[in-house]
Structure formats: structure tokens, C-alpha cells
Amino acid sequence: MAQSGGKKRVQPHIIEEWTGKIYTSLCITFLIVTIFSMVYFVAAKGLSSFFVNGVSFKEIFGSTVWKPDGEPPLFGALPFIIGSFSTSILAALIAAPLGICAALFMVEIMPKYGKKYLQPVIELLAGIPSVVYGFVGLSVVVPFYRDLFPGQGLGIVAGATVLSIMILPTITSIATDALSALPSGLKEGSYALGATRWQTLYRTVIPTTMPALMTGVVLGMARAFGEALAVQMVIGNAPHIPTSLFESTSTLTSVITLSMGNTVMGSVQNNVLWTLAFILMAMTFIFVFTVRWLERRAKR
């Protein structure tokens, strides 16, 4: 009787365990199917411009002329690719030192005041909608550059400035976690050898956490590369390769958002826009693989 009672008490736990396993398996299956479906849909649409409409790889990746309504239509996407890389790389160069220094301040220099005042402000930046960043950039950043430098203020620098503020919380949060996870014995050993605080930071702490810090920078670049609305409002949206950082240009995301609603599904221009979206997705995968490589390097 005691054994049968024990089996009855164990039975609900077995049911709960199998219920959890089935629910988890269904969720994972749904995620996998969703991801592969999105990749297949975007790839099928994006590659149709090459295999159905006859647009050449050389024209999209090598030409600088974008005239989808011309006779014949021209689909040179090189200015948009260069514009996306220029703004995202410049934004990372601006935000990376600020984010890493903010993390050092919050973790190593003044953790009490940093976590009390600086960290809530940086976390607040992550919740602001991108349209607000774009409007602030159009109202403040663009006039500022217009008054200091020649041109209208619209261009790569204005877009990179807005993007750097947007990706600052991502870089700072990952850098803070990396610095907080650093063993305290490493810093104590540096102090025991006679190193000062600043020598310990730039000779021990930063080199040790560099892979994790670079992970935050790469993730910030990934977000900057895929941002559309904020960049669209301040970059000028000119379909050509700029000769100056203060000259208007365009990005992959901005040309997609501006042109997708004016095209017919299945047309050549619509398929070329899907090709640009496929390029964005491919770059996202590259950023993810880079982050994974940096994480494996950090564990060694």
C-alpha cells in the first residue's frame, strides 16, 4: 500500500515534466520554423531579381546609378551599401569609447554614483522610440552641423551621431556585465605588483575583457545597420556616393522604407528592394556569427 501511494504521488510530477518538455519542444519548433520561413521568403524574393528579372550582380553591387523609373531602369545599390556601412561604423566609433568609459565609471571608478545616476539615464535611452531620435536629430543635430560646417547638415555625420546615441545603451550594458564578471583577484594581483588604478584598467582590465567589449560594439553596429526611421530623417536620402561626411546619402533601410510602398508586388523594382532586404539579413547573420566567434574567444 505504501508503494502504491508513493507511485500516485510521483505520477503528477511525471505528467508535469512531460508537459513542460512538450511545451518547450513546441515553442522551439515554432521558432525554428518561423526563422527558416522568414529566411526562405526573403531569399526567394531577393534572388528573384537575378534569376527571374535578369538583373545582374554587377549592376546591383558595382553600379552607382539608381534610376528604377528610367529607360532602361538602373538598380545600382552600391551607394546604399556604402551609406549603411559608413553610418554604422562611424556610429560605433563614436559610441564605443563613450559606452566603455561609462561602464568603467559605473563598475571600477565610482560604482555607487554610477549605478545610482548614470545607469538609469543610459537605460532610459534604450526605451525612447526611434522616431523621437530622428526628430531630435532633425531639430538639433542637423542645425548644429549646418552652422559649423559647409552644407545643409544632412549626411553621414548627422546619421552616425543619432545612431551612436541609440546604440550607446547596448554597448554600455554589455560592457558593464563584462567588467562586473571579471574576477577580483586579477585586479588585486595588479595592485599587489604596484600598479595604479589607471595602469590596472588599461593594462589588465580592458585587455582581459576586450572580446566581451567587442561583442557589445558588434551588437551595437548590428542595430545601427538595421535602423531605418531615425537615419532616414537626418541622412538626406540622396542616391549617390558622398564625397564628404557632411554630404547627403542614403542607406539600405531608408531606400527600402521610402520605395517599398510605391512599387507593385512582383515587379522588377519590388524584387530589387527585396534583394536589398536580403543583403540586410545576410549582414545580420554575419554580425551574429561575429558575436559568437568573439564569445568563443572570450571563453578560451
Side-chain angles (χ1 to χ4, degrees), residues 32-288:
I32 294 174
V33 171
T34 302
I35 293 172
F36 277 96
S37 299
M38 290 179 60
V39 173
Y40 174 78
F41 179 79
V42 176
K45 287 286 187 179
L47 296 177
S48 61
S49 60
F50 302 117
F51 299 106
V52 176
N53 304 115
V55 181
S56 64
F57 285 88
K58 182 178 179 181
E59 180 179 356
I60 290 183
F61 294 99
S63 176
T64 59
V65 181
W66 176 264
K67 291 184 179 179
D69 298 324
E71 290 294 337
L74 300 174
F75 302 101
L78 186 59
F80 311 135
I81 298 174
I82 293 177
S84 295
F85 277 102
S86 300
T87 52
S88 59
I89 292 175
L90 186 57
L93 291 176
I94 297 173
L98 297 176
I100 294 173
C101 289
L104 288 171
F105 178 83
M106 290 188 294
V107 177
E108 301 292 343
I109 300 177
M110 298 185 69
K112 180 179 178 181
Y113 293 97
K115 293 181 179 179
K116 184 177 181 180
Y117 299 107
L118 186 58
Q119 189 171 7
V121 173
I122 295 177
E123 292 175 352
L124 182 64
L125 294 176
I128 299 176
S130 59
V131 64
V132 176
Y133 282 106
F135 187 72
V136 171
L138 192 62
S139 303
V140 179
V141 177
V142 172
F144 175 76
Y145 286 129
R146 185 191 302 138
D147 295 337
L148 291 180
F149 302 98
Q152 299 179 351
L154 301 169
I156 295 176
V157 172
T161 302
V162 174
L163 286 177
S164 64
I165 302 174
M166 295 182 66
I167 68 177
L168 186 61
T170 301
I171 298 176
T172 306
S173 299
I174 296 177
T176 301
D177 294 338
L179 294 173
S180 300
L182 191 67
S184 59
L186 191 65
K187 293 178 288 185
E188 293 175 357
S190 178
Y191 292 139
L193 293 174
T196 63
R197 172 188 287 179
W198 295 107
Q199 289 174 333
T200 301
L201 289 179
Y202 74 80
R203 291 185 178 180
T204 303
V205 174
I206 294 180
T208 304
T209 58
M210 183 57 69
L213 298 179
M214 291 304 300
T215 298
V217 175
V218 173
L219 288 176
M221 287 182 60
R223 184 189 176 186
F225 198 87
E227 180 57 40
L229 186 57
V231 179
Q232 176 185 326
M233 297 174 68
V234 299
I235 203 170
N237 304 305
H240 62 79
I241 298 177
T243 58
S244 170
L245 294 177
F246 301 95
E247 188 175 347
S248 298
T249 185
S250 188
T251 61
L252 292 169
T253 52
S254 61
V255 71
I256 291 172
T257 55
L258 288 172
S259 304
M260 187 62 77
N262 301 322
T263 60
V264 180
M265 184 67 69
S267 62
V268 182
Q269 184 178 356
N270 184 269
N271 289 336
V272 170
L273 293 177
W274 279 108
T275 302
L276 302 185
F278 182 65
I279 296 173
L280 281 173
M281 179 174 287
M283 285 305 307
T284 301
F285 289 152
I286 292 175
F287 284 128
V288 171

